[in-house]
Amino acid sequence: MAFLDKMKEYLDKGVEVSKEALSKAGDAVQDFSDKSVTKIETHQLISRQNKEYRALGQAVLKFFEENPSATLSADNSLISGIMEEIQRLEKEIVQREESLKAKEQGDTATPTDEAGSTSAPEAEATDAEFTKS
């Protein structure tokens, strides 16, 4: 009977360890998923912001083609709406980036997570900086 008891105890410990490992793996997958969604949302916002910058440029070009000697200000209804949308998108991008940083700082990241999470925000920031210049 002692052998069966020891075998049962051994198997019970194995099951318990497996449950713990699966729980940790599930948490890691969820964390990775959350970060990925935030990165994708940030990239989509940057893309929308880029479209707005192009629309702004096209609106300004059209204005000056139709009125070569006129002046244009930020109060002009032709461009004010576009500028407001660009500013709104910028605020959302900043919020997403701050959220991602908070998630990464609260992490006990593995080297793989660290490498992946470090490069993407830098690329997104570069896209945003490129858009503004």
Side-chain angles (χ1 to χ4, degrees):
M1 227 20 176
F3 174 74
L4 289 176
D5 289 338
K6 285 184 181 182
M7 191 63 145
K8 182 181 181 302
E9 186 179 316
Y10 176 75
L11 290 175
D12 287 344
K13 284 182 183 179
V15 169
E16 198 61 37
V17 169
S18 295
K19 284 181 184 179
E20 262 185 61
L22 287 174
S23 176
K24 289 179 182 178
D27 291 345
V29 168
Q30 181 63 43
D31 183 52
F32 177 75
S33 176
D34 291 347
K35 288 179 187 176
S36 295
V37 167
T38 304
K39 288 178 184 181
I40 289 168
E41 289 173 345
T42 303
H43 182 70
Q44 288 172 340
L45 289 169
I46 289 170
S47 294
R48 286 177 40 202
Q49 188 181 40
N50 287 338
K51 287 179 185 178
E52 292 297 324
Y53 277 117
R54 286 192 298 274
L56 178 62
Q58 290 171 346
V60 170
L61 177 65
K62 181 179 178 182
F63 175 84
F64 284 119
E65 285 177 343
E66 294 172 357
N67 310 301
S69 61
T71 59
L72 184 64
S73 73
D75 296 333
N76 185 295
S77 63
L78 181 67
I79 63 168
S80 64
I82 298 171
M83 290 176 58
E84 288 173 7
E85 181 65 7
I86 289 170
Q87 292 168 348
R88 185 189 70 76
L89 289 168
E90 182 63 29
K91 288 178 185 176
E92 282 191 50
I93 290 167
V94 168
Q95 287 175 345
R96 294 293 194 296
E97 289 174 345
E98 288 174 355
S99 171
L100 184 62
K101 285 179 185 176
K103 288 177 185 177
E104 289 174 346
Q105 287 175 353
D107 232 2
T108 54
T110 61
T112 305
D113 290 340
E114 191 66 32
S117 64
T118 304
S119 63
E122 290 173 359
E124 291 167 357
T126 304
D127 288 346
E129 290 171 4
F130 175 75
T131 302
K132 293 177 188 174
S133 54

